[in-house]
């Protein structure tokens, strides 16, 4: 739990020393405060009670200013600037005094219950507002300043409370720079300044003061004393330490169990040393097992030969099945090629349609831009007319005011009734003119807000779609960047994060003999480029083959699929191409393209493994594909009258795929697998991600701004509608009243005619300018309608193009699928061709293997006869016999090692014994530490009792001293055992035997006694500022004056400390002093909750 630091009250309460320069200034101020008069006896008494102001200095932690916004029932209070010493916050009930104090408590970490103004923070937010803000500036000067190099001479604490009751802090330096937004930093600041807003001595609220005045329980007064002196916090700390000690004792008890385990291990080591076994029986058993092993191998070879003979007969019968499969796939290849040709022709038609729609799209876009330019120009004209109208209205108001003054002087001779009527007519005319202008302005605002809200919503939808597309691109680039960064140390990682582990698994399986031929792959890793500029072209050409693997037979394919399922548990897996491995590259001279200037894909690659080269030739026909760097040259070569012989297609270095009758643009812009410069690719991806992230952030900022604009415009639109309706009703009523008044003739003066004519001319100009303004608005509306119409046509045309493009994408996808289907059919046809050849070869290989097995069987029988001349009937397998022989050999070796090296057993035994002794010694030290802690705690508790007794005595002394200033006598009785505090007071000079409880006193006497008690607590506690809320509310004038004099004298003696007093009194009788500042709050306006600001007075 969080613990506040507390200074011991037995130390000197004022520990900060003021420099010499500031001490001289302080003494000069004391000499200048001659207006506050007190008796010599009071001065002597206070000199004993309070320390001299020159002894201390630091005023760090006092409140310099506070500002409230939407707090409680106030829209705006402040900013209030407080003086460094005495401050009076004066105002009637409801003016905001208690709101200032409540904001001070909440902003400096206090909870809602401590304010006695609400049960939760959300109750402090003004009705109808979403949040409340409080800003407090704390002084940060002197030797007790908190991080002055960071915050400067002042610390600004900004608090925001939301409607949901959430509280957020922002701690700023004097310059306004944000330093921290963590509450832990605020707690450190409060600890440094010793600010305790929950301590009633530092901040005594009205409710706490009233509770204390009317409290009948002596236990409550005692709790008040303990909390004010922080003795309660010390007691809680001691309780916490005692509980922690009990937990430590429990842990020591647990460690004692560990000590038993160490002893048990030590005994086990000793027993192991003493136990040794015989080896003769194990040696005999080993020889018997070796004989059984020899004849078990013979039986296993005989068993293996039998199924091989059966399989050879079965394979010879299955040759016809392979012939049927080859014919079946020949037919499927032909059907797939016909379907591919049909889809290709359909795609060419859609591509032509898109190209025909592009010119009109550009034309419509230019039209939208022209209409937008006209609209902007008309908006400038409207704003200019509006400004001219505003200037004329200002001239009209000035001239009307002058006419009104002249008519007032004339009307003095026409009688009181005529004068009142004339004034009323003028007032109504002025109000009507203002209302008409206001109604016109409101109409413009309604249109403006409605158009702004609709435009923002439309733009927001468009921005969201663009942001989604951009985010998908960012995610794809991040995945590519992660792959590229992983490939710095291992190029294999370009082909997938799991690829290195997959190749290791293949190598391990090959070593264990699971593959007849080791699979090759990924194919892209086993090839390299002669010209790096052709990397993108080769990648687009080979596509999925770059990540594919190739196997020699279907048995190997099944094993490879099992490894993939283990290494690639989720997501896409690399393709597997099954084709017989050959030692030499295919002879492609008859069907390969040979161009004098441009290489084929086969010629552009460096492939060391013939298996890889043959796989790419079979799957992609790379010997018949040209690579031409320039796309224009590629089209010229392929679409000319004489395309190169045996050339099926060509690729440019940008990845464009060029056929004799069509061209496809590549969607990929950079090579991912074959590029040579990894660092350049990483830098490119990082720049692209950075640019896209910045663009995404701008999108999000713009979308948030659009959200705010939409909410703001909708709210303004609703309020403007209501205001417009109420204004029209008001204008109608005034017009009726004006008609009645104008029916009465009024005497006119000839001197007013020039001014009235000038006024009429201005009114005429206003009407003319208003017509011009209306025309400009109408023209702007026409331009806007034209712009919206043009934009709608452009969007419809764009959507038409997108629809056609989406149709083309689906057809492209279907074309790719049919292309893959053609390749798949060819692959299967080739597979069964190879399968038939492989089947014939396997029959030949099986015959050879069977012959080899027969020879191996004869050799094994000869070896077994040498080991055991008589054949043994063995039922166990060679594997189980070998396992038992290995275990027996290990056991024999282990026993021999134990018998030969006894020192190791002795060493382990001694090590276990040392660990046991070490743990026992640690347990002894821990028990000693706990005992020492008990002694220390007992001593600290004794000191705590002495400190409590000392503070009680000081509190009694200061209480009696302050009571004597009015001639009161009293006593304080502390009962620390029962935790009670009894206070008795006798007004006037009387017998101490006549002392009575505070409950028998009058309200003023009780309030005065409370002030005395608070002053006595002030004397024994320390805080940078002290606040009292309506401390004199129950006092009569005499008690109030005496209490005020006491408080001012205490403040004069403590210039380093700040005092804030909240009172409904006017404080007009205060003496004139530089140290006193009065903040007067305006009276509350019950009908309107607008901002209320205080007025400051320095006395």
């Amino acid at each position: 739990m969080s613990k506040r630091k507390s200074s011991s009250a037995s130390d000197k309460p004022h520990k900060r020393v003021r420099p010499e320069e500031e001490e001289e200034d302080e003494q000069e101020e004391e000499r200048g405060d001659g207006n506050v008069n007190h008796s010599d006896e009071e001065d002597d008494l206070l000199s004993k009670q309070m320390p001299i102001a020159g002894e201390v200095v630091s005023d760090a932690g006092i409140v310099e200013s506070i500002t409230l916004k939407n707090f409680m029932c106030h829209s705006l209070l402040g900013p209030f600037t407080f003086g460094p010493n005495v401050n009076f916050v004066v105002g009637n009930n409801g003016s905001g005094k208690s709101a200032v104090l409540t904001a001070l408590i909440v902003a400096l970490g206090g909870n809602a219950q401590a304010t006695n103004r609400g049960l939760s923070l959300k109750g402090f937010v003004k009705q109808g507002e979403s949040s409340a803000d409080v800003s407090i500036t704390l002084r940060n000067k002197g030797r007790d300043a908190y991080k002055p190099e960071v915050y400067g001479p002042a610390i600004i604490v900004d608090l925001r409370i939301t409607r949901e009751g959430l509280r957020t802090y922002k701690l700023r330096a004097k310059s306004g720079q944000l330093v921290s937004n963590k509450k832990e930093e605020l707690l450190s600041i409060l600890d440094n300044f010793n600010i305790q807003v929950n301590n009633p001595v530092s901040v005594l609220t009205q409710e706490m003061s009233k509770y204390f005045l009317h409290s009948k329980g002596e236990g409550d007064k005692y709790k008040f004393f303990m909390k004010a002196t922080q003795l309660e916090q010390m007691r809680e700390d001691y309780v916490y330490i005692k509980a922690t000690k009990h937990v430590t004792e429990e842990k020591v008890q647990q460690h004692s169990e560990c000590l038993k385990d160490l002893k048990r291990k030590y005994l086990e080591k000793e027993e192991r040393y003493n136990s040794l076994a015989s080896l003769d029986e194990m040696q005999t058993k080993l020889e018997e097992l070796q004989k059984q092993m020899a004849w078990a191998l013979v039986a296993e070879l005989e068993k293996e030969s039998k199924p091989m003979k059966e399989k050879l007969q079965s394979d010879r019968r299955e040759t016809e099945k392979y012939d049927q499969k080859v014919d079946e796939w020949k037919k499927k290849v032909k059907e797939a090629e016909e379907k591919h040709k049909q889809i290709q022709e359909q795609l060419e038609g859609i591509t032509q349609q898109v190209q025909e729609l592009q010119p009109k799209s550009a034309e419509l876009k230019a039209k939208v831009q022209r209409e937008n330019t006209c609209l902007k120009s008309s908006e400038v004209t409207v704003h200019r007319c509006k400004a001219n109208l505003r200037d004329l209205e200002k001239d009209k108001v000035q001239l009307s005011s002058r006419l009104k003054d002249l008519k007032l002087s004339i009307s003095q001779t026409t009688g009181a009734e005529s004068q009142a009527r004339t004034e009323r007519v003028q007032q109504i005319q002025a109000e009507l003119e203002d209302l008409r202008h206001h109604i016109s302005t409101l109409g413009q605002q309604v249109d403006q807000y409605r158009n702004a809200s609709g435009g923002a919503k439309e733009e927001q939808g468009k921005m969201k779609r663009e942001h989604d597309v951009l985010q998908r691109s960012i995610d794809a680039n991040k995945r590519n960047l992660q792959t590229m960064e992983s490939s710095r140390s291992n190029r294999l990682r370009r082909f997938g994060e799991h690829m290195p582990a997959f190749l290791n698994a293949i190598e391990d399986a090959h070593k264990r003999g699971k593959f007849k031929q080791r699979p090759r792959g990924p194919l892209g890793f086993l090839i390299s480029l002669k010209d790096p500029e052709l990397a993108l072209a080769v990648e687009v050409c080979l596509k999925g083959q770059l990540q594919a693997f190739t196997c020699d037979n279907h048995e190997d394919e099944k094993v490879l699929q099992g490894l993939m399922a283990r290494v690639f548990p989720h997501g896409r897996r690399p393709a597997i191409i099954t084709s017989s491995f050959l030692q030499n590259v295919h002879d492609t001279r008859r069907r390969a393209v040979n161009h004098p200037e441009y290489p084929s894909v086969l010629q552009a690659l460096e492939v060391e493994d013939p298996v890889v080269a043959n796989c790419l030739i079979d799957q992609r026909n790379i010997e018949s594909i040209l690579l031409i760097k320039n796309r224009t040259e590629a089209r010229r070569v392929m679409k000319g009258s004489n395309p190169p012989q045996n050339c099926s297609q060509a690729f440019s270095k940008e990845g464009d795929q060029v056929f004799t009758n069509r061209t496809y643009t590549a969607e990929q812009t950079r090579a991912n697998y074959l590029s040579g410069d990894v660092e350049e690719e990483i830098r490119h991806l990082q720049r692209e991600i950075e640019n896209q992230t910045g663009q995404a952030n701008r999108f999000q900022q713009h979308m948030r701004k659009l959200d705010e604009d939409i909410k703001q415009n909708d709210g303004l639109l609703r309020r403007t509608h209501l205001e417009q309706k109420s204004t029209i009703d008001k204008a109608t009523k005034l017009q009726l009243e004006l008609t009645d008044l104008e029916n009465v003739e009024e005497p006119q003066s000839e001197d007013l005619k020039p001014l009235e004519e000038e006024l009429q001319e201005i009114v005429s100009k206003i009407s003319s300018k208003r017509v011009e303004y209306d025309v400009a608005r109408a023209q702007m509306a026409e331009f806007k309608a034209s712009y919206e119409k043009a934009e709608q046509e452009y969007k419809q045309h764009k959507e038409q193009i997108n629809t056609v493009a989406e149709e083309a994408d689906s057809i492209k996808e279907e074309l790719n699928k049919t292309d893959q289907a053609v390749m798949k059919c060819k692959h299967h046809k080739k597979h069964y061709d190879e399968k038939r050849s492989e089947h014939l070869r396997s029959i030949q290989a099986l015959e050879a293997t069977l012959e080899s097995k027969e020879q191996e069987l004869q050799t094994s029988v000869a070896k077994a006869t040498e080991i055991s001349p008589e054949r043994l009937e063995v039922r166990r397998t060679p594997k189980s016999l070998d396992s038992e022989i290995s275990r027996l050999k290990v056991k024999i070796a282990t026993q021999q090692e134990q018998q030969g090296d006894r020192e190791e057993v002795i060493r382990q035994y001694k090590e276990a014994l040392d660990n046991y002794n070490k743990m026992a010694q640690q347990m002894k030290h821990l028990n000693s530490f706990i005992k020492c802690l008990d002694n220390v705690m007992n001593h600290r508790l004794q000191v705590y009792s002495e400190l409590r007794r000392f503070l009680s005595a000081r509190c009694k002394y200061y209480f009696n001293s302050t009571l004597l200033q009015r001639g009161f006598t009293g006593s304080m009785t502390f009962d620390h055992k029962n935790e009670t505090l009894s206070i008795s007071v006798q007004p006037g000079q009387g017998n101490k035997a006549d002392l009575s409880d505070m409950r028998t006193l009058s309200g003023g006497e009780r309030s005065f006694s409370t002030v005395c008690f608070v002053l006595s607590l002030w004397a024994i506690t320390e805080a940078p500022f002290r606040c009292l809320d309506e401390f004199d509310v129950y006092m009569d004038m005499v008690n109030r004056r005496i209490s005020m004099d006491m408080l001012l004298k205490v403040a004069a003696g403590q210039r380093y400390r700040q005092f804030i007093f909240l009172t409904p009194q006017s404080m007009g009788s205060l003496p004139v002093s530089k140290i006193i500042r009065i903040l007067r709050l305006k009276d509350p306006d019950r009908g309107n909750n607008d901002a209320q600001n205080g007025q400051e007075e320095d006395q």
Side-chain angles (χ1 to χ4, degrees), residues 99-240:
V100 173
L101 186 61
T102 301
L104 181 66
I105 295 174
V106 173
L108 295 182
N111 51 34
Q113 288 82 358
T115 65
N116 294 310
R117 292 285 177 174
L119 298 178
S120 63
L121 293 176
K122 62 183 179 182
F124 297 135
V125 182
K126 184 183 176 185
Q127 186 69 28
E129 300 294 339
S130 60
S131 63
D133 297 300
V134 179
S135 178
I136 295 178
T137 303
L138 300 177
R139 184 168 296 179
N140 193 39
K141 297 180 180 178
R143 59 186 299 177
D144 289 337
Y146 181 79
K147 298 181 181 178
E149 69 282 356
V150 177
Y151 288 96
I155 298 175
I156 301 174
V157 180
D158 290 339
L159 167 68
R160 169 159 290 187
I161 304 172
T162 64
R163 174 59 63 187
E164 293 75 20
L166 299 178
R167 172 165 51 183
T168 57
Y169 287 98
K170 289 185 179 180
L171 304 176
R172 304 181 185 275
K174 175 70 174 177
S175 61
Q177 180 182 1
L178 179 63
V179 177
S180 175
N181 56 4
K182 296 181 178 179
K183 189 173 181 181
E184 291 76 8
E185 179 73 4
L186 175 63
L187 294 178
S188 299
I189 294 172
L190 298 178
D191 287 340
N192 184 78
F193 294 150
N194 199 25
I195 296 175
Q196 307 167 40
V197 293
N198 288 330
N199 192 332
V201 174
S202 294
V203 180
L204 185 61
T205 63
Q206 183 178 352
E207 294 297 326
M208 179 61 72
S209 176
K210 186 186 302 182
Y211 169 75
F212 182 73
L213 284 174
H214 298 285
S215 175
K216 299 180 180 180
E218 297 177 347
D220 295 335
K221 294 185 181 66
Y222 186 83
K223 291 179 181 178
F224 189 88
F225 166 78
M226 294 291 286
K227 186 173 183 180
T229 56
Q230 294 185 304
L231 289 172
E232 182 178 0
Q233 180 69 40
M234 294 174 64
R235 182 170 59 185
E236 290 177 357
D237 291 343
Y238 292 149
V239 171
Y240 174 76

Side-chain angles (χ1 to χ4, degrees), residues 391-401 429-430 433-434 436 759 762-763 766:
D391 294 336
L392 289 172
E393 292 288 348
K394 186 177 180 182
D395 294 339
K396 177 185 173 182
V397 170
Q398 293 176 353
L399 189 57
S400 297
S401 176
Q429 288 176 345
E433 188 62 31
D434 292 339
R436 292 191 191 100
L759 177 61
I762 292 176
V763 172
I766 290 174

Side-chain angles (χ1 to χ4, degrees), residues 352-368 788-806:
Q352 183 65 26
Q353 186 179 357
V354 172
Q355 292 175 354
E356 291 173 357
L357 290 174
Q358 288 294 342
K360 187 176 179 181
S361 176
E363 181 182 350
L364 289 175
K365 185 176 181 181
K367 182 179 179 181
V368 170
E788 291 175 349
K789 181 180 178 181
E791 188 177 24
Q792 184 65 25
E793 291 177 356
Y794 173 70
K795 287 182 178 179
Q796 291 176 355
H797 191 76
K798 195 70 176 178
E799 288 176 358
Q800 183 180 0
I801 293 177
N802 292 337
T803 302
V804 176
E806 289 174 358

Side-chain angles (χ1 to χ4, degrees), residues 638-661:
M638 294 300 297
K639 294 186 179 181
S641 57
N642 242 346
Q645 185 179 5
N646 295 331
C647 181
S648 61
Q649 54 187 299
F651 285 87
S652 67
K653 70 176 182 179
E654 292 85 6
D656 295 346
Q657 187 177 12
V658 183
F659 293 90
T660 56
N661 57 352

Side-chain angles (χ1 to χ4, degrees), residues 68 72 74 77 80 88-103 117 206 1029-1030 1060-1065 1079-1082 1092:
L68 284 66
M72 295 177 72
H74 306 280
L77 280 178
F80 300 122
F88 285 92
V89 181
V90 179
N92 292 327
N93 291 334
S95 60
K97 303 189 302 300
S98 297
V100 173
L101 186 61
T102 301
R117 292 285 177 174
Q206 183 178 352
D1029 186 9
E1030 298 192 10
I1060 301 174
F1061 304 117
L1062 287 81
T1063 176
Q1065 308 299 326
L1079 302 175
R1080 301 188 185 275
L1081 302 183
K1082 291 183 179 180
Q1092 302 179 28

Side-chain angles (χ1 to χ4, degrees), residues 247-515:
V247 173
T248 306
E249 290 174 343
E250 292 176 359
K251 291 184 178 180
V252 169
Q253 184 64 29
Q254 294 174 0
H255 289 168
S256 63
E257 299 295 331
C258 296
L259 187 63
K260 296 178 181 178
D261 292 340
L262 289 175
K263 185 175 182 180
R264 178 180 53 79
K265 291 180 181 179
Y266 144 68
L267 295 175
E268 289 177 356
K269 295 293 183 183
E270 185 178 29
E271 182 181 359
R272 181 184 172 189
Y273 169 73
N274 296 327
S275 62
L276 297 173
S278 176
L279 296 177
D280 295 338
E281 184 178 352
M282 289 187 289
Q283 289 286 359
T284 303
K285 187 176 180 180
L286 178 61
E287 294 175 359
E288 182 65 24
L289 289 174
Q290 288 174 344
K291 293 179 180 180
Q292 294 181 11
M293 180 67 176
W295 287 108
L297 290 173
V298 172
E300 184 179 26
L301 287 174
E302 293 174 347
K303 186 177 180 181
E304 289 176 355
S305 300
K306 183 178 180 181
M308 292 177 65
K309 293 177 181 179
E310 295 175 353
K311 187 175 186 305
L312 181 60
Q313 296 175 0
S314 176
D315 288 346
R316 288 170 179 170
R317 293 192 299 267
E318 290 180 356
T319 305
E320 289 183 343
K321 295 181 181 179
Y322 288 103
D323 295 335
Q324 294 174 359
K325 282 289 184 182
V326 170
D327 295 336
E328 178 184 351
W329 283 104
K330 280 183 181 179
K331 183 179 179 181
K332 289 184 179 180
V333 167
K334 185 177 180 180
E335 292 174 353
E337 287 177 344
E338 290 176 355
K339 183 178 180 181
H340 182 271
K341 183 177 180 182
Q342 292 175 359
I343 296 174
Q344 196 168 12
E345 291 174 354
Q346 186 179 359
L347 180 61
E348 290 175 0
I350 293 176
T351 305
Q352 183 65 26
Q353 186 179 357
V354 172
Q355 292 175 354
E356 291 173 357
L357 290 174
Q358 288 294 342
K360 187 176 179 181
S361 176
E363 181 182 350
L364 289 175
K365 185 176 181 181
K367 182 179 179 181
V368 170
Q369 292 174 348
R370 290 195 302 272
E371 294 294 341
N372 188 30
T373 303
C374 294
L375 177 60
K376 296 296 183 184
S377 177
S378 65
E379 288 176 349
V380 172
T381 304
V382 169
H383 290 308
R384 184 174 65 251
C385 292
K386 188 176 180 180
N388 292 337
L389 268 175
R390 190 166 53 250
D391 294 336
L392 289 172
E393 292 288 348
K394 186 177 180 182
D395 294 339
K396 177 185 173 182
V397 170
Q398 293 176 353
L399 189 57
S400 297
S401 176
R402 185 179 175 189
L403 271 171
K404 182 179 178 181
D405 295 339
L406 290 175
K407 287 181 179 181
L408 179 62
S409 63
I410 294 171
S411 64
Q412 292 176 356
T413 61
T414 62
E417 182 180 354
S418 176
Q419 180 181 1
R421 186 170 58 253
T422 303
E423 291 177 353
R424 181 58 182 163
V425 169
Q426 292 174 352
Q427 181 183 358
I428 292 175
Q429 288 176 345
E431 290 180 2
L432 277 174
E433 188 62 31
D434 292 339
L435 289 175
R436 292 191 191 100
H437 183 266
H438 189 48
I439 291 170
S440 175
T441 303
L442 289 174
Q444 297 171 14
Q445 290 178 353
V446 167
D447 295 338
Q448 179 181 357
Y449 296 148
R450 185 182 292 113
N451 296 334
S453 179
K457 289 178 181 177
E458 183 178 352
E459 185 177 358
Q460 188 182 41
K462 181 180 177 182
M463 291 289 293
K464 188 176 185 305
R465 291 191 296 272
E466 293 179 0
H467 181 265
D468 292 341
V469 174
L470 182 62
Q471 190 61 46
R472 288 195 294 271
S473 177
I474 291 175
D475 294 339
N477 284 334
K478 286 183 177 178
R479 289 193 297 269
N480 293 337
L481 177 61
Q482 185 178 6
T483 301
M484 283 294 180
E485 289 178 340
S486 300
S487 66
R488 282 174 167 165
S489 59
N490 190 348
R491 181 169 168 260
L492 266 175
R493 294 187 180 274
R494 287 197 188 187
F495 299 88
E497 187 68 24
H498 301 288
M499 196 59 73
F502 184 49
L503 287 185
N504 291 335
I506 291 175
E507 189 66 29
D508 185 51
H510 180 61
K511 289 180 180 178
R512 295 200 303 269
K514 292 187 177 182
F515 291 111

Side-chain angles (χ1 to χ4, degrees), residues 715-734:
L716 291 172
L717 181 61
R718 289 191 297 271
R719 289 196 293 270
T720 306
H721 270 306
L722 295 175
E723 187 177 356
Q724 187 181 37
K725 181 180 178 182
S726 63
T727 306
I728 291 173
D729 294 340
K730 186 176 180 181
T732 303
K733 293 179 181 179
L734 289 176

